[in-house]
Amino acid sequence: MIMETLTVKQKQYLKQPKERISGSEAIVRCLLAEGVDVLYGYPGGAIMPVYDELYKYQDKIHHVLTRHEQGATHSAQGYARISGKVGVAMATSGPGATNLITGIADAQIDSTPIVCITGQVPSHLLGSDAFQETDIVGISTPVTKWNHQITKASEIPEVMAKAFYIAKSGRPGPVLIDITKDAQFEEFDFQYKKCEGIRSYNPVPKVEDSKLEEAADLINNAKKPMIIWGQGVILGKAEEELKAVIEKAGIPSAWTIMGASAIPTSHPLNIGMVGMHGNYAPNVLTNECDVLIAIGMRFDDRVTGKLDDYATQAKVIHFEIDPAEIDKNVKTDVAVLGDSKESLAKLLPLLNANSHTEWLQKFKDLYAVEFEKVIKNDLHPIKEGLTMGEVLNEINTQSKGEAAIVSDVGQHQMIACRYAEFNVSRSNITSGGLGTMGFALPAAIGAKMAAPEREVVAVIGDGGYQMTIQELGTIFQTKVPVKIVVLNNDFLGMVRQWQQLFFDKRYASTEMTNPDFVAIAKGYYVNAKRVTKREELSSVVEEMMQSKDAYFLEVCVEKEDNVFPMVPSGASVSDIRLE
Amino acid sequence: MEKEIIQFTVSVYTENNIGLLNRISAIFQRRHINIESINSSASEIEGVTRWTILVNMTEEQMKKIIGQIEKQVEVIKAYYHTDEETIYQESCMFKIKSDLLFDERQIQNIIKESNARIVTVNKEFFVLEKSGRRNEIELLHRELSAFGIMQFVRSGRIAVTKDEMKITEMLAAFNN
Ligand SMILES: Cc1ncc(C[n+]2csc(CCOP(=O)(O)OP(=O)(O)O)c2C)c(N)n1
């Protein structure tokens, strides 16, 4: 069964007789056996033997030298998010390894499959405070799905096979493998076998028919059902199954940030985003629906607002692969454990065809309110200053909803998630759970490399851009044609917005004196333009989208715009503010 | 019931792996929960480690933490039980000056009545061992304190459950 799904190349590797090779060569051979074609990393003393092998294997595997190890993890994440494949990052011991931590934590909270490989001091020096020794296994434990230290070359094949299996199976996540330098040098008899299961680990719980029947019963009897789907739909590749369920049962369906793009934006039953800066209708009507169907989402506090006032009137059905998420934040009436693709496919025939026309109309009415108060002014402003929303609108128009949007963290992220139009799944790549500024630029590099056929546009704030701006060097060196849009408001905008609303406009350390971003991009030989006027926007965005090479666009936007609607923290979702 | 803070004994069956202690204790630490005691040992199944963890919390919180523990790749299964659902013990040792054994008649009575056992005696000190419930150990500690204790140590709780825990079946299911 497994054999059938392997490529010819992978089968070759499995058939090979044992060979005597070094641990470091074995690592590269394991990567090849797992189908890795590109990895991101940064060399240093404790990982040099592996880099030496990467040099020898460079026609088979492409190592991308990022400009910081954090960038390597985010690139691996971008690669994984757009493709569903496992992203790989590599670093040396000590500071190289600790620099991976932010990306690993990000991948953990956003369930992104990545494998990180770190070099470690020779095993006889472990615990001696050797040069560049850090206890990276200890440090990474709370932010990895699994981690392991290898001190003998003979462990490499089995541990690497487990690493890939664990990273991508069930609810995906990051795995870190730390390999002492002596194990890299040591020779042993190499043979690789893919991991097909671990006895203590049950990644995909069985779907119980009785639970599906209970769920179907609630849904069939609902007058005002509402779906909120999350990234679980994308991770489970269940987009088509979800669409079929939504359409058959006629259920208005909203998404979390991590679920964005699973169903096209223009779908008539797609009622927008829930959460702190989500759409008005799905937030307000969460507290009016009679059955709330959560699919592959985890009721994050940014989604639920005040829990005590969250959907208390509704029966809650939770489709979820991770048993630990059931009842964690919101008490469910029916929990359907299992893989979203399987459970939604099995749910479909149990559902009655329906169309909740009147109920759907409520969403449309509230959308009209939001449009008048917020959306119109964001997308088609009449004031002089440029808005972030109109830039997104222009990107939508020119990409026809086909681009993948990689956003950073802050106001521009909320605007991007609110207004980007998506026709294709896996197109909204953003740091949802951790909110990691600096994510977007390196993530866009990974995304574009994994999906070269797709247009990849990074949308970044002037603050977050400067957290990983050095990755322009990676873009220049690899010639990866990503499009970079910095929405410059000369502020740490999202924090400034909170200061304005909740701290009487005391703008403590949020104003930014910025460099000449265009000059910096040009310094890296990346084509660059700045737009300060509305008249220029359309033609420059067009130039960017037409460009075959990487392109940097800075748009100077209104400095003190706010993102609305907003559920103030601690408030109920139905107390969402429009201004 | 769900909101009342009670004492739970957590039993976790795991693979025997370096680093697992860190992973499990981090689950409690992250939620600012104190571990009263933790014990790791062999279990009835060869190659499978059994942890016994004593904690105080609400049942609602306990269920969530069991979920987080079971989510760890190398955890086979985790359970929680109230005191009534288990047979449990702790064990302790006292090091006491040998003179007292002969000079203070009462000590001999205390030893007899408490069902404690003398592990060793030499010229300077003797060592007393007792297994039992926490209150029995505390009583013994109080009684001996009056005479002076050179050293005292108490183990974490170990417990077996009254109900079955079908670990062998679970592992067999994986092999099929
Ligand atoms: C690494 C990191 N540090 C701090 C924060 C807190 N934070 C959240 S949004 C934000 C402001 C972002 O400013 P900018 O990148 O300019 O984007 P804008 O909000 O202006 O669109 C800050 C500082 C964070 N999310 N990540």
Side-chain angles (χ1 to χ4, degrees), chain A residues 108 135 137-138 140-148 162 166 171 196-201 322-329 331, chain B residues 2 14-15 17-19 22-23 26 30 45-48 60 63-64 67-68 70-77 170-171 174-175:
Chain A
Q108 169 84 340
D135 172 15
V137 170
S140 65
T141 291
V143 289
T144 45
K145 184 172 174 187
W146 188 65
N147 60 8
H148 191 84
K162 268 175 89 173
I166 292 168
R171 181 175 182 175
E196 287 162 24
I198 297 168
R199 68 172 186 175
S200 57
Y201 170 58
D322 177 1
E325 290 299 340
I326 304 299
D327 292 341
K328 189 183 83 177
N329 297 333
K331 272 253 181 256
Chain B
E2 286 251 304
T14 72
E15 300 295 355
N17 242 334
I18 297 180
N22 225 341
R23 238 173 221 288
R30 198 179 144 191
I45 304 154
E46 201 184 321
V48 172
E60 192 182 337
K63 282 184 188 163
K64 291 182 193 177
Q68 297 298 330
E70 286 201 330
K71 192 162 147 172
Q72 305 306 319
V73 171
E74 276 138 350
V75 169
I76 297 163
K77 188 79 190 152
M170 274 178 57
L171 293 178
F174 174 82
N175 291 327

Side-chain angles (χ1 to χ4, degrees), chain A residues 205-215 334-338 342-343 346 350:
Chain A
K206 266 218 184 77
V207 181
E208 279 182 53
D209 290 341
S210 64
K211 294 289 174 192
L212 279 174
E213 280 156 22
E214 280 179 56
V334 180
V336 185
L337 284 174
E342 185 191 343
S343 38
K346 287 184 170 165
L350 307 179

Side-chain angles (χ1 to χ4, degrees), chain B residues 61-159:
Chain B
Q61 207 173 14
M62 188 72 255
K63 282 184 188 163
K64 291 182 193 177
I65 285 181
I66 291 289
Q68 297 298 330
I69 294 175
E70 286 201 330
K71 192 162 147 172
Q72 305 306 319
V73 171
E74 276 138 350
V75 169
I76 297 163
K77 188 79 190 152
Y79 302 87
Y80 70 93
H81 292 100
T82 59
D83 288 355
E84 296 72 46
E85 293 164 337
T86 64
I87 315 294
Y88 59 93
Q89 294 243 304
E90 289 171 349
S91 148
C92 71
M93 288 159 84
F94 298 87
K95 177 177 162 183
I96 297 171
K97 275 207 177 90
S98 289
D99 310 347
L100 296 171
L101 195 55
F102 308 105
D103 301 349
E104 302 280 351
R105 291 207 62 131
Q106 237 216 299
I107 285 205
Q108 296 186 16
N109 289 337
I110 292 171
I111 294 173
K112 236 188 251 153
E113 274 162 31
S114 66
N115 274 327
R117 187 170 67 89
I118 295 176
V119 181
T120 185
V121 191
N122 64 32
K123 261 205 262 165
E124 280 146 52
F125 63 85
F126 70 99
V127 175
L128 204 56
E129 179 273 342
K130 156 122 192 101
S131 294
R133 292 283 177 95
R134 173 75 63 91
N135 56 356
E136 298 172 68
I137 289 170
E138 279 172 354
L139 176 67
L140 182 59
H141 186 275
R142 259 198 314 273
E143 290 177 335
L144 293 173
S145 292
F147 305 102
I149 299 168
M150 293 166 78
Q151 282 187 34
F152 170 73
V153 66
R154 192 185 67 222
S155 77
R157 170 185 288 202
I158 53 172

